[in-house]
């Protein structure tokens, strides 16, 4: 595995986030740039980005900008890591961004072999209401399907002429036709809001999407005289690790995943088997303390479960000092997740009832 290439369609990634920052010339995320940073921004889970200052300025000076992200409607569930995209999107939504969410049905067809009908059905039955249930304001969000957005497709075709096969290969390491189509379509998505209004835009995504951001920034520069697009900014969060300690939750090792939704009994059983920073015996743990830095339960608290910073740091020190035992901490995680899952299920049900009210762009 090299760090020259990030594969947005792969499931593995180089472990070392610092190395990624260096290899790809990313900006290290500085939460002091942003007013009222959310918990993943404050805690270094959001770790890097591109052109972040422009966005911080828009927020501070109340200038127009947009936040946009895409949903890949492949599975019939998502996992808890996806919640972070919504958390960041919501942050910008609450700080003045025009908010867009597109459903990447064309990408799903071109790269995962899902039909457009299946993609639409999954998006409407689950993914879109799930994003609303996770806290997005549906009244302030504009949605569209890639397959209906002729302007995006027109851009994609034009952009296809602006990149060579070897450039594509250098970015993605692979250039199968479906991926090329999906990538130029995504560039169209990212720049689409600027067809109406030139303004900075921020794309909150997992770090696996950075190749698309680089491609978009290159292409924006190449069509500058015609369109005057402002190159998009991006903000990246780390992955939620698998409970077994590997870098990313993935379908291939379901015992390490927490899905949304998932039966809480199963979730708590998985938590019980999670990799922790605990010692072999309780006596030893009381004496030497645990290692929260290596604990997947602590990582869950940090990324998802504990809102309050003081509470999080108490968990950290209690673990280090041998006051908090793993079994109690796992029970705590199970209790918080139980409440979260119940709330999510109720909100999902509610969101599904209001799907007809969402702002889907209508194309002639
Ligand atoms: N490629 C993204 C994914 O795999 C989906 C996507 C399509 C997207 N268009 C986008 C994400 C534009 C951000 C911005 O999930």
């Amino acid at each position: 595995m090299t760090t020259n290439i990030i594969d947005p369609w792969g499931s593995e990634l180089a472990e070392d986030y610092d190395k990624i920052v260096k290899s790809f010339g990313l900006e290290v995320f500085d939460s002091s740039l942003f007013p009222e940073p959310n918990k993943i921004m404050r805690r270094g889970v959001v770790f890097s980005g591109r052109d972040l200052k422009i966005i911080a300025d828009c927020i501070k000076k109340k200038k127009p900008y947009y936040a946009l992200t895409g949903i890949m409607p492949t599975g019939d569930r998502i996992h808890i890591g996806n919640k972070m995209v919504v958390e960041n999107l919501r942050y910008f939504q609450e700080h003045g961004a025009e908010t867009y969410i597109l459903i990447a049905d064309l990408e799903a067809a071109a790269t995962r072999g899902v039909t457009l009908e299946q993609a639409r059905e999954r998006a409407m039955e689950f993914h879109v209401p799930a994003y609303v249930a996770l806290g997005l304001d549906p009244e302030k969000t504009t949605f569209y399907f890639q397959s209906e957005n002729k302007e995006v497709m027109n851009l994609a075709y034009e952009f296809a002429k602006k990149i060579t096969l070897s450039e594509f290969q250098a970015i993605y390491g692979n250039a199968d036709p479906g991926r090329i189509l999906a990538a130029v379509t995504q560039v169209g998505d990212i720049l689409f809001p600027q067809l109406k209004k030139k303004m900075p835009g921020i794309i909150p995504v997992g770090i696996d999407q950075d190749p698309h951001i680089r491609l978009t920034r290159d292409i924006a520069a190449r069509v500058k005289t015609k369109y005057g697009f402002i190159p998009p900014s991006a903000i990246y969060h780390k992955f939620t690790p698998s409970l077994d300690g590997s870098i990313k939750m993935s379908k291939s090792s379901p015992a390490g995943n927490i899905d949304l939704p998932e039966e809480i009994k199963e979730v708590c059983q998985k938590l019980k088997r999670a990799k922790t920073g605990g010692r072999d015996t309780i006596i030893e743990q009381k004496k030497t303390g645990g290692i929260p830095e290596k604990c997947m339960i602590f990582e869950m608290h940090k990324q998802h479960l504990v809102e309050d910073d003081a509470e999080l740091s108490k968990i950290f020190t209690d673990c280090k000092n041998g006051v908090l035992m793993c079994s109690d901490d796992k029970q705590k995680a199970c209790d918080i997740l139980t409440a979260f899952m119940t709330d999510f299920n109720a909100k999902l049900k509610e969101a599904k009832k209001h799907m007809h009210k969402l702002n889907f762009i209508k194309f002639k």
Side-chain angles (χ1 to χ4, degrees), residues 164-354:
T164 67
L165 188 59
S166 52
E167 284 172 322
F168 195 92
Q169 269 159 343
I171 296 178
Y172 294 94
N174 168 306
D176 83 48
R179 292 180 177 209
I180 296 178
L181 279 171
V184 290
T185 305
Q186 182 154 345
V187 176
D189 288 328
I190 293 173
L191 296 171
F192 166 70
Q194 294 196 49
L195 286 179
K196 270 204 311 228
K197 180 161 45 164
K198 296 294 162 285
M199 57 184 165
I202 182 133
I203 316 299
V205 274
I207 179 64
D208 59 311
Q209 297 293 301
D210 183 58
H212 299 310
I213 301 294
R214 277 181 268 135
L215 180 65
T216 307
R217 292 170 60 85
D218 282 349
I219 289 178
R222 290 174 195 182
V223 298
K224 189 158 178 51
T225 38
K226 177 165 180 198
Y227 290 103
F229 290 132
I230 298 165
S233 304
I235 182 165
Y236 301 127
H237 55 78
K238 294 180 182 173
F239 295 121
T240 295
S242 169
L243 294 173
D244 66 15
S246 53
I247 187 156
K248 189 179 174 189
M249 288 191 178
S250 89
K251 290 212 177 68
S252 54
S253 57
N257 288 1
I258 296 176
D259 287 333
L260 294 182
E262 182 168 354
E263 281 302 326
I264 196 66
K265 251 172 85 185
E266 269 172 50
V267 172
C268 292
Q269 258 160 20
K270 289 181 187 180
L271 292 172
K272 282 205 181 111
R273 288 190 292 257
K275 176 175 173 285
T276 69
R279 309 292 176 179
D280 291 342
T281 64
I282 292 197
I283 300 176
E284 199 189 333
Q285 180 140 346
K286 287 194 170 150
K287 209 165 92 198
T288 52
I291 314 169
E293 298 91 333
K294 290 194 175 162
C295 175
M296 295 307 114
I297 304 291
F298 185 75
E299 200 57 30
M300 288 298 296
H301 287 323
K302 181 166 93 181
Q303 294 196 3
H304 300 291
L305 305 181
V306 177
E307 285 296 323
D308 183 54
D309 289 349
E311 188 184 345
L312 186 73
S313 83
K314 182 163 169 21
I315 294 174
F316 186 89
T317 41
D318 284 354
C319 171
K320 281 244 155 206
N321 297 336
V323 178
L324 179 63
M325 295 299 115
C326 293
S327 58
D328 294 338
D329 195 34
K330 287 174 171 174
Q331 186 57 45
K332 182 183 173 78
C334 164
D335 292 344
I336 301 174
L337 267 167
T338 304
F340 171 79
M341 219 50 105
T342 310
D343 181 63
F344 175 76
N345 285 329
K347 286 181 173 154
L348 182 66
K349 208 167 147 200
E350 193 56 29
K352 282 186 187 176
K353 285 194 220 147
H354 301 286

Side-chain angles (χ1 to χ4, degrees), residues 11-180:
S11 63
E12 282 305 318
L13 198 79
E15 300 217 358
D16 189 342
Y17 289 104
D18 291 336
K19 215 157 103 210
I20 295 175
V21 166
K22 289 205 189 84
S23 308
F24 297 100
L26 297 173
E27 269 165 48
V28 174
F29 182 77
D30 172 6
S31 67
S32 71
L33 268 182
F34 290 87
E36 300 112 27
N38 65 23
K39 71 170 182 299
I40 54 176
M41 293 173 172
R42 295 193 304 269
R43 297 175 184 173
V45 182
V46 168
F47 73 108
S48 68
R50 292 187 185 275
D51 260 352
L52 286 160
K53 197 161 174 311
I54 296 195
I55 301 299
D57 281 349
C58 288
I59 295 177
K60 288 179 198 149
K61 297 180 184 144
K62 300 205 182 321
K63 287 199 277 196
Y65 75 104
Y66 63 101
L68 173 145
T69 197
I71 297 180
M72 265 283 257
T74 38
D76 53 6
R77 299 194 219 177
I78 53 181
H79 67 68
I80 193 157
N82 295 94
K83 187 160 133 327
M84 289 194 279
V85 169
V86 183
E87 204 158 324
N88 281 338
L89 196 61
R90 183 172 146 197
Y91 170 84
F92 295 110
Q93 182 165 64
E94 287 169 356
H95 289 83
E98 288 182 26
T99 312
Y100 290 85
I101 293 190
L102 61 104
I103 293 117
D105 57 345
L106 289 178
E107 177 175 357
T111 67
R112 314 270 184 189
V114 175
T115 67
L116 292 181
E117 292 72 25
Q118 286 165 339
R120 169 177 289 270
E121 198 182 301
R122 285 178 193 167
M124 297 307 269
E125 290 290 318
F126 177 66
H127 294 262
V128 173
Y131 270 49
V132 172
L134 288 174
L136 207 74
D137 184 344
E139 285 177 23
K140 291 194 190 145
T141 309
T142 302
F143 295 89
Y144 70 83
F145 284 90
Q146 280 179 330
S147 64
E148 290 180 353
N149 194 332
K150 184 105 193 305
E151 291 178 72
V152 164
M153 272 185 266
N154 290 353
L155 286 176
Y157 274 77
E158 191 175 340
F159 296 161
K161 285 292 290 169
K162 301 288 172 195
I163 172 160
T164 67
L165 188 59
S166 52
E167 284 172 322
F168 195 92
Q169 269 159 343
I171 296 178
Y172 294 94
N174 168 306
D176 83 48
R179 292 180 177 209
I180 296 178

